[in-house]
Amino acid sequence: MSYVIPFDENPSAAVEGEEARYPIRRIFCVGRNYADHAREMGHDPDREPPFFFLKPAWSIVAASADVPYPSRTSDLHHEIELVVAIGEGGSDIAAGDALSHIYGYAVGVDLTRRDLQGEAKKMGRPWDTGKGFDASAPVGPVVPAAKIGHPDAGRIWLDVNGKTTQDGDINQLIWNVPEVIADLSTLFRLEPGDLIFTGTPAGVGPLQRGDKVTGGVDGIGEITFAVV
Ligand code: MN
């Protein structure tokens, strides 16, 4: 393909054990999907329907590159998340069929300008500047489900400079992965290359320049990056 202007290649993520990469089409994110995180953000976690927001595909930071501290915030927060990588598209996918649409899983961090997100919430404005900024989506290598199956339990954790700040289990998801895919696919036709960040457990908090972040989901992998 040639273009009339200089243009980056499509963003992609590494795949564990493969030379070929996982192409990224869209990045969907689920809001408030762990009860303890909903509570820490001041909400009642009774099963309100899942809600979604998006980050641009180009906001991805592939495996373990440095993350620049973003502009116009003084409250950059980390949110460690289980990420689902869609392999086969579909609309109105039944929860019972959802797992067959998954290529694999990864560990990601939903970086958030909490101050801008808070202002947007207060004003009833969109979340894009709080959530969808450049380099807001560090994602580790995608691990094929063909290798690890479909984990529905396992520790999810994040350390800042070696100190654990988030510590939960993916079995605490309010809406589990099949339910998220079922609901999201009624709003959008899911396509190969779509990533879904499934939400974060409690313990979100600020990052500073110079911080070293390491997080993981047991059975899937880890991600490490520095804020620079
Ligand atoms: Mn999140």
Side-chain angles (χ1 to χ4, degrees):
M1 177 84 68
S2 71
Y3 297 109
V4 295
I5 51 171
F7 196 74
D8 291 342
E9 267 185 59
N10 198 67
S12 62
V15 178
E16 200 169 279
E18 302 279 349
E19 206 143 306
R21 296 175 66 82
Y22 178 86
I24 298 168
R25 180 186 182 94
R26 289 174 292 191
I27 303 175
F28 295 101
C29 304
V30 187
R32 295 196 288 268
N33 203 17
Y34 288 80
D36 54 356
H37 173 64
R39 280 187 215 103
E40 77 177 347
M41 299 303 287
H43 296 271
D44 178 359
D46 56 4
R47 286 171 64 98
E48 57 179 29
F51 70 93
F52 302 96
F53 58 91
L54 287 98
K55 294 173 184 264
W58 267 264
S59 64
I60 198 93
V61 179
S64 300
D66 288 348
V67 171
Y69 195 94
S71 62
R72 292 185 61 174
T73 184
S74 50
D75 198 20
L76 176 68
H77 272 207
H78 56 74
E79 298 188 355
I80 185 76
E81 308 205 3
L82 167 68
V83 178
V84 175
I86 296 294
E88 189 193 312
S91 310
D92 301 324
I93 297 167
D97 292 335
L99 296 182
S100 69
H101 291 261
I102 296 173
Y103 172 76
Y105 296 89
V107 177
V109 180
D110 167 14
L111 290 174
T112 303
R113 287 167 164 150
R114 193 70 76 201
D115 41 4
L116 297 194
Q117 185 202 23
E119 196 179 298
K121 283 181 184 174
K122 205 167 59 197
M123 309 282 281
R125 288 178 179 163
W127 286 11
D128 304 52
T129 59
K131 287 290 197 180
F133 52 92
D134 298 343
S136 60
V139 172
V142 175
V143 185
K147 273 192 190 152
I148 57 164
H150 296 278
D152 56 9
R155 184 176 174 239
I156 179 168
W157 55 275
L158 183 137
D159 293 355
V160 180
N161 302 324
K163 188 170 167 267
T164 301
T165 58
Q166 293 192 264
D167 200 348
D169 194 294
I170 58 171
N171 69 9
Q172 298 160 344
L173 283 167
I174 296 172
W175 298 94
N176 66 26
V177 168
E179 290 168 335
V180 165
I181 289 173
D183 195 89
L184 183 59
S185 70
T186 66
L187 291 163
F188 301 88
R189 186 189 149 80
L190 294 180
E191 299 289 354
D194 287 337
L195 294 180
I196 307 169
F197 278 59
T198 56
T200 197
V204 300
L207 293 171
Q208 316 295 341
R209 282 184 189 82
D211 282 347
K212 182 142 187 235
V213 178
T214 304
V217 179
D218 286 2
I220 295 172
E222 291 190 8
I223 184 172
T224 298
F225 61 87
V227 182
V228 298

